[in-house]
Amino acid sequence: MAEVRPDEVSAILRQQLAGFKTEKELEEVGTVLQVGDGIARIYGLTRVQSGELIEFENGLRGVVLNLEEDNVGAVLLGNLPKSRKATW
C-alpha cells in the first residue's frame, strides 16, 4: 500500500486551488423579450444549453428548456423579473 504524504497532498491541493476564481464570471448577457405563464423568452444567449441555470439582474433564476434559433425559453424559478437582462 502506498504511503500518503501530507506535504505532497498539500502541494497538489495548493496547485489546483491556485486557478480557482471566487467571483462569478458572466459568460453572456441576453435581453428578455417576453414573460408569461412563468416562461421568459430571451434573446442573445447564443451559447447557453438546455437545462442550464440562468440568472436575471434582480437575482431571479431560471432553467433553460427551449432553444430556438433566435431566442431561448426559460422556466422562471420565482416571481416575474422586473429586470430586462439575463446572464449565463
Side-chain angles (χ1 to χ4, degrees):
M1 183 182 264
E3 183 180 326
V4 176
R5 294 185 38 196
D7 58 327
E8 285 182 6
V9 173
S10 295
I12 291 169
L13 288 174
R14 278 191 199 96
Q15 181 183 18
Q16 290 179 349
L17 292 174
F20 181 74
K21 296 180 181 177
T22 57
E23 296 292 319
K24 62 181 170 180
E25 297 178 24
L26 300 179
E27 295 289 328
E28 287 185 302
V29 176
T31 302
V32 176
L33 300 173
Q34 178 183 28
V35 177
D37 295 329
I39 304 291
R41 289 270 172 211
I42 306 159
Y43 172 80
L45 301 180
T46 58
R47 294 184 293 168
V48 72
Q49 296 182 15
S50 183
E52 288 189 321
L53 187 68
I54 59 171
E55 186 174 344
F56 296 87
E57 278 183 324
N58 64 359
L60 178 69
R61 293 184 178 174
V63 177
V64 175
L65 295 179
N66 193 23
L67 301 174
E68 301 292 331
E69 204 164 307
D70 61 343
N71 68 77
V72 299
V75 174
L76 302 177
L77 303 175
N79 294 330
L80 297 177
K82 293 178 180 155
S83 169
R84 303 300 287 177
K85 293 190 189 253
T87 57
W88 163 75

